Amino acid sequence: MQTLNKDPFYALADKSRRAMLMLIAQEKRSINQLAENFEMSRPAVSKHLKILNLAGLVEIENQGRERYCTLNPSGFALVRNWFNYFDQFWTEKLQNLDQLMKKHNAPKQDQ
């Protein structure tokens, strides 16, 4: 039996799941409404949504006979922290390079 992965990076690795997140970000959508946008069966869409739900990126709520999906902002914290770390890392590296280039290109003073 296959175990489902709860890693948000695993969930985001699939193009269809990223497209589903974009649609859900626009507005709350039922699984049937989401399925209309993809060339896959409703059960396949449900499977993708289950992975997004397990990763904490999407919340699924039962309303009558429909199941509605919304984004779970707190589920993106791990991804946001990862990107922020590397954003800061590269910003510092580029600032160091900029300072080195300015120092290298500065006119030399006679002693």
Side-chain angles (χ1 to χ4, degrees), residues 65-80:
R65 296 171 57 181
E66 290 283 342
R67 299 182 77 206
Y68 285 88
C69 304
T70 56
L71 289 185
N72 178 14
S74 63
F76 288 85
L78 180 66
V79 176
R80 186 175 34 254

Side-chain angles (χ1 to χ4, degrees), residues 15-45:
K15 181 179 177 180
S16 296
R17 290 194 284 270
R18 291 193 306 271
M20 289 176 189
L21 288 173
M22 295 301 287
L23 289 169
I24 296 168
Q26 294 170 359
E27 64 181 330
K28 177 179 181 178
R29 293 180 191 255
S30 72
I31 294 175
N32 286 328
Q33 290 170 327
L34 283 169
E36 292 171 0
N37 294 282
F38 298 94
E39 293 183 16
M40 64 177 80
S41 67
R42 188 190 178 287
V45 170

